[in-house]
Amino acid sequence: MSAAPDDAPSAGRGRRAARLSGDDRELAILATAERLLADRPLAAISVDDLARGAGISRPTFYFYFSSKDAVLLSLLDRVVAEADTAMREVFGAPATTPRDGWARAIGTYYETFRAHRALTVAWARARSTSDEVRALWSEVFERWVQQCATAIDAERARGAALPGLPSRDLAVALTSMNERVLYATFSGDGPAIAESDVVDVLLGIWLSAMYGAQTPG
Amino acid sequence: MSAAPDDAPSAGRGRRAARLSGDDRELAILATAERLLADRPLAAISVDDLARGAGISRPTFYFYFSSKDAVLLSLLDRVVAEADTAMREVFGAPATTPRDGWARAIGTYYETFRAHRALTVAWARARSTSDEVRALWSEVFERWVQQCATAIDAERARGAALPGLPSRDLAVALTSMNERVLYATFSGDGPAIAESDVVDVLLGIWLSAMYGAQTPG
DNA sequence: TGCGTGTCTCGACAGCGTGTTGACTCTTTC
DNA sequence: GAAAGAGTCAACACGCTGTCGAGACACGCA
């Protein structure tokens, strides 16, 4: 729990407080990172940029975070939590039709990433650089694959989805597709699908892969 | 046995016909890069490693390549040419059945990457780092997407494939899926599909997305 | 009031990596 | 045998990361 150090109500500018609290500095670093990430890749942002942006010196930065990647990781932890909650909700609530249920799932996935596109792109790129980012992503990805595979099994058990490929393999492939396609759409590098169409396209492929048709009964 | 050097000084780009020893060094750098890439990522290989591996000093390296990325790019140019040729062959030859045709296309894609897995993984990772790698990849990807979209249109025109999503969007999504899934399978990070199953899984999804069933008539 | 103690801060340093410069050595060619 | 130019490297300039040690500041406590 954090004690509330509210002795410094923001009174506009002016250097009243000789010293900001630790929490404020940490938040300032995080905010600076998100701001800077909006227009250049993490690789082009130095620890010094982050520190100066937060009004501190480079060594002081290291008091709060062990590295540049740690900042990204911290930023991402929140998004992951958000996405997880949203996904659990989707898979928990019953859907009126299979199409509707999957549409909501893919739509949620899309919206979550879209709401943090700079972060999403930075994240995807940092995966090649940082083992920690890679590990965190794998974890999240694995959870989604499992939820997905479980849902496919359920649909097959009730006779709606066709048998065929192992549900886990199907889930891995389809989730991978979503990840890659959304990255392309958000980052804008390479051939991509328009933002307005991407959910429909993904949904169509998911449905035909599971039900053999794009409009299951 | 090197071919006769081009005596006609035509307006060619790149390095002029150089001395044999120069060519040897260039090849040595390339070979060193491929060897080192087999057991550590490009980011963990310095220009000095490359130079020493090729028996030259670091400044001399810069006589041959403008950067580390340029070496990767050079290595990759060959693989791209190889893959392009293989793909053109596949799309050029008539298939006995749709399933067979697509199976050959995906299989070729798989084999090409598999034959150069270290390079493939390095490439995928370098995409986040180097604009040039990113640009080259986009180009290749775009070509594949176009071939694919053309093939889908042809299948629809003859009444075999179902109408539905725009063929280009479908092609982008499916090709993206292949890329991401194969990367996961080859790199081994994150949830992946076993090498022995990956072509079947991808094929199944492609077929149902295009024909509405995994065994089109 | 004075004195820990823990939090916070930064100047200075060590280290590693990149890319460049200028001088030097070998070959080839006329 | 001298000019041209390909090939080579020690030494440098620079930028970035991460660390260390010496403080500055706030706070509870005697």
Side-chain angles (χ1 to χ4, degrees), chain A residues 150-205:
Chain A
T150 302
I152 292 172
D153 285 336
E155 286 295 90
R156 282 177 174 172
R158 74 176 184 90
L162 302 172
L165 299 167
S167 61
R168 185 188 158 84
D169 285 349
L170 201 51
V172 169
L174 294 173
T175 307
S176 295
M177 173 177 73
N178 283 20
E179 182 201 312
R180 180 66 181 88
V181 168
L182 289 183
Y183 170 78
T185 294
F186 291 145
S187 74
D189 61 58
I193 298 172
E195 280 196 36
S196 55
D197 303 333
V198 71
V199 172
D200 277 349
V201 172
L202 294 175
L203 180 61
I205 295 172

Side-chain angles (χ1 to χ4, degrees), chain B residues 29-80:
Chain B
I29 293 171
L30 255 11
T32 301
E34 196 154 12
R35 196 181 70 237
L36 295 182
L37 237 22
D39 56 30
R40 56 186 149 133
L42 187 66
I45 298 172
S46 70
V47 169
D48 200 52
D49 292 333
L50 255 22
R52 286 186 187 287
I56 57 177
S57 73
R58 209 165 51 78
T60 301
F61 167 92
Y62 286 102
F63 180 81
Y64 293 100
F65 293 96
S66 63
S67 72
K68 213 166 54 174
D69 287 345
V71 177
L72 187 59
L73 235 20
S74 179
L75 239 19
L76 263 19
D77 267 336
R78 310 172 182 187
V79 179
V80 167

